C-alpha cells in the first residue's frame, strides 16, 4: 500500500499552491474589505484576468478534454488542486471549465454553449431545485409543454448558483407527467436568458447569493433540448455527482489553512503568563482537528481515485462529502474558539469561513441525503462494508 503522491501529482499540486500563494492570496485583504461593503470580493473581469494568468502557468480546464484545450486531469489531481484553491477565501477558480453535462450537447449546441462557456465568454447555471423539491428532486414541477417546434416552460427554480449572472441555464423540466420523473418524464433544456426567464437575488448568510429563476411561458426551440428527451433527471444526477468529491476537496484546503492559523495563534497568544497552546484544552482542539482533517483527506482521495478507476463513485463520494463537510465545520468552529474574540471579528477571515462552510452540509445533497445513500447501499447490499477491499 502506498499513500504517497506521484512526482507528477506533487508537481501539479505544488505549482497550483505557488499560483494561489503568489497571485491570489495577496488579494485577500481587499476582498475582505469589499465584502464588508457588500461588493463581490473579486469582480468578473478580475477573475478572468487571474484565470488567464493561470493559463500561462498551465492551469486551464482541469476537467476539460484536451480536444477543447483543457488538461483533462485525473480526478485525484483535480481533487488536489481544489484543495489548494480552498486555501484562499478569494472566490477564485481556474478557468476553461464547463458543466460536465454540457458534453451531451450536439455539435451545434457545443458551438453555441459548450465552447463559449469553456472560453469564459458565456456563464452557465444549472437548475433542478424548486421551492417544493430540493432533497426530493424527483418532485420537481416546472413543466415543459410541446407546441409545434417549441417547448413552453412554466414554473420556478430556486437557490441557483450563478443564477444572477448566467446568460443561459441548463434547466431540468417535466416533459411527461405520466412517465414520472424517474421513468423518463423529464428533459434538460439549454435556455438563454434572452428567451425570457428572469432571476431574483436570494440573500443568504454567505457572500454573494443564489437566485430564484422564474419561467412564465418561456418558449424554447426543440433544438435546445440537451441530450435526449426523457434524460433530464439522469443528467441532473450526473451534474450533482461531480461536486460530491470536489466540494470536500475544497473543504480540506479551508481546514488546512484555518488550522494553520490556529496553531500559530496558540503558539503566540498568551494568557495567565503562558501560551494558550500550553493548555490541554487548546491542544485537544488542535489534535482532534488534525485527526479529522487527515481522515477526511483519505476519504476524499479515495472517492477521487474511485472515479479514476472508472468505478461507480457514488458510495465513496457520499462518504467524502458527508465527512468532509462535517469536518470543515467542526475545524473552523474550533479555530474560532482558539482565536477567542478575534475569531469572531471581521478583521480575520474565520467568521467568513464559518458562514461559508455551513453551506457545504446543505447543497449538492444534504448530510441527511448522504447518510440515506450510504445506509441504503449497505442495507440493500449494493456495497460491502470496507468497499473494494472487502
Ligand atoms: C447557496 C445555495 C446554492 C445552491 N445551488 C444550487 C444550484 O446551483 N442548482 C440547484 O439546482 N440547486 C442548488 N441548491 C439547492 C440545494 O441543492 C438544496 O437546497 C438542497 O438539496 C436541499 O434541499 P432543500 O433546501 O429543499 O431542503 P429539503 O429537501 O426541504 O430538506 C430540509 C431538511 O430535511 C432533511 N430531509 C429531507 N428529506 C429527508 C429524509 N428523507 N430523511 C431525513 N432528512 C430529510 C434535509 O436533509 C434537510 O435537513 C443550492 C442551495 C443553496 C443554499
Amino acid at each position: 500500500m502506498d499513500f504517497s503522491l506521484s512526482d507528477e501529482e506533487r508537481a501539479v499540486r505544488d505549482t497550483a499552491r505557488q499560483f494561489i500563494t503568489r497571485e491570489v492570496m495577496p488579494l485577500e485583504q481587499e476582498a475582505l474589505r469589499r465584502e464588508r461593503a457588500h461588493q463581490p470580493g473579486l469582480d468578473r473581469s478580475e477573475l478572468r484576468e487571474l484565470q488567464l494568468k493561470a493559463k500561462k502557468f498551465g492551469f486551464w480546464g482541469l476537467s476539460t478534454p484536451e480536444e477543447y484545450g483543457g488538461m483533462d486531469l485525473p480526478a485525484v489531481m483535480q481533487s488536489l488542486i481544489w484543495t489548494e484553491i480552498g486555501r484562499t477565501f478569494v472566490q477564485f477558480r481556474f478557468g476553461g471549465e464547463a458543466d460536465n453535462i454540457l458534453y451531451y450537447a450536439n455539435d451545434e449546441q457545443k458551438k453555441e454553449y459548450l465552447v463559449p462557456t469553456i472560453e469564459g465568454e458565456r456563464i452557465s447555471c444549472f437548475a433542478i431545485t424548486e421551492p417544493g423539491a430540493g432533497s426530493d428532486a424527483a418532485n420537481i414541477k416546472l413543466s415543459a409543454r410541446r407546441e409545434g417546434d417549441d417547448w413552453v416552460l412554466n414554473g420556478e427554480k430556486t437557490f441557483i448558483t450563478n443564477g444572477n449572472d448566467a446568460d443561459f441555464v441548463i434547466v431540468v423540466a417535466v416533459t411527461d407527467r405520466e412517465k414520472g420523473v424517474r421513468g423518463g418524464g423529464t428533459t434538460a433544456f439549454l435556455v438563454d436568458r434572452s428567451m425570457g426567464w428572469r432571476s431574483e437575488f436570494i440573500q443568504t448568510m454567505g457572500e454573494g447569493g443564489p437566485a430564484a429563476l422564474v419561467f412564465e411561458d418561456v418558449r424554447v426551440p426543440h433544438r435546445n433540448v440537451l441530450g435526449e428527451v426523457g434524460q433530464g433527471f439522469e443528467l441532473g444526477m450526473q451534474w450533482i455527482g461531480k461536486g460530491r468529491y470536489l466540494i470536500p476537496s475544497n473543504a480540506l484546503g479551508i481546514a488546512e489553512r484555518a488550522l494553520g492559523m490556529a496553531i500559530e495563534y496558540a503558539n503566540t497568544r498568551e494568557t495567565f503568563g503562558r501560551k494558550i497552546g500550553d493548555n490541554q484544552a487548546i491542544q485537544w482542539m488542535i489534535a482532534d482537528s488534525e485527526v479529522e482533517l487527515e481522515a477526511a483527506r483519505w476519504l476524499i482521495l479515495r472517492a477521487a481515485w474511485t472515479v479514476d478507476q472508472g468505478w461507480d463513485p457514488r458510495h465513496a463520494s457520499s462518504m467524502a462529502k458527508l465527512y468532509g463537510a462535517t469536518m470543515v465545520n467542526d475545524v473552523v468552529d474550533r479555530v474560532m474558539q482558539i482565536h477567542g474574540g478575534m475569531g469572531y471579528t471581521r478583521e480575520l477571515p474565520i467568521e467568513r469561513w464559518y458562514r461559508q462552510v455551513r453551506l457545504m452540509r446543505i447543497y449538492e445533497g444534504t448530510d441527511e441525503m448522504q447518510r440515506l445513500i450510504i445506509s441504503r447501499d449497505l442495507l440493500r447490499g449494493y456495497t460491502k462494508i470496507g468497499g473494494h477491499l472487502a
Side-chain angles (χ1 to χ4, degrees), residues 134-324:
S135 305
D136 186 10
N139 197 32
I140 56 168
K141 298 279 185 287
L142 186 141
S143 67
R145 187 180 73 247
R146 186 82 196 245
E147 269 189 21
D149 246 4
D150 293 341
W151 292 86
V152 180
L153 273 58
N154 276 290
E156 195 179 326
K157 295 292 179 184
T158 193
F159 297 137
I160 307 307
T161 304
N162 279 342
N164 301 295
D165 304 315
D167 58 349
F168 77 95
V169 55
I170 308 167
V171 63
V172 182
V174 178
T175 42
D176 189 335
R177 211 162 286 285
E178 308 262 286
K179 284 188 178 159
V181 166
R182 290 180 197 276
T186 61
T187 302
F189 294 89
L190 298 164
V191 191
D192 296 276
R193 191 183 285 266
S194 59
M195 289 174 183
W197 55 270
R198 62 174 202 277
S199 59
E200 290 163 6
F201 187 86
I202 300 171
Q203 296 275 357
T204 67
M205 69 190 274
E207 299 301 332
L213 310 188
V214 182
F215 291 75
E216 282 167 354
D217 288 330
V218 173
R219 197 165 273 276
V220 182
H222 180 69
R223 62 183 162 78
N224 279 37
V225 167
L226 177 66
E228 307 287 329
V229 170
Q231 207 188 357
F233 192 69
E234 191 192 311
L235 291 181
M237 292 305 106
Q238 210 166 313
W239 187 93
I240 288 166
K242 188 173 174 194
R244 295 241 162 114
Y245 75 91
L246 292 180
I247 291 170
S249 304
N250 203 233
L252 202 57
I254 297 173
E256 282 183 1
R257 173 105 183 264
L259 182 58
M261 282 176 64
I263 292 168
E264 208 179 304
Y265 199 72
N267 275 330
T268 47
R269 175 75 175 169
E270 291 189 7
T271 63
F272 304 99
R274 58 181 193 161
K275 306 267 187 294
I276 57 168
D278 290 341
N279 297 295
Q280 198 178 49
I282 302 290
Q283 292 161 4
W284 285 20
M285 282 196 266
I286 290 171
D288 288 347
S289 298
E290 163 75 342
V291 172
E292 290 165 24
L293 202 153
E294 278 305 301
R297 186 190 314 282
W298 297 109
L299 277 176
I300 293 160
L301 286 173
R302 181 165 84 91
W305 177 83
T306 305
V307 172
D308 287 336
Q309 302 311 302
W311 300 343
D312 182 346
R314 278 175 297 185
H315 192 79
S317 295
S318 283
M319 289 201 288
K321 164 87 167 53
L322 172 64
Y323 194 74

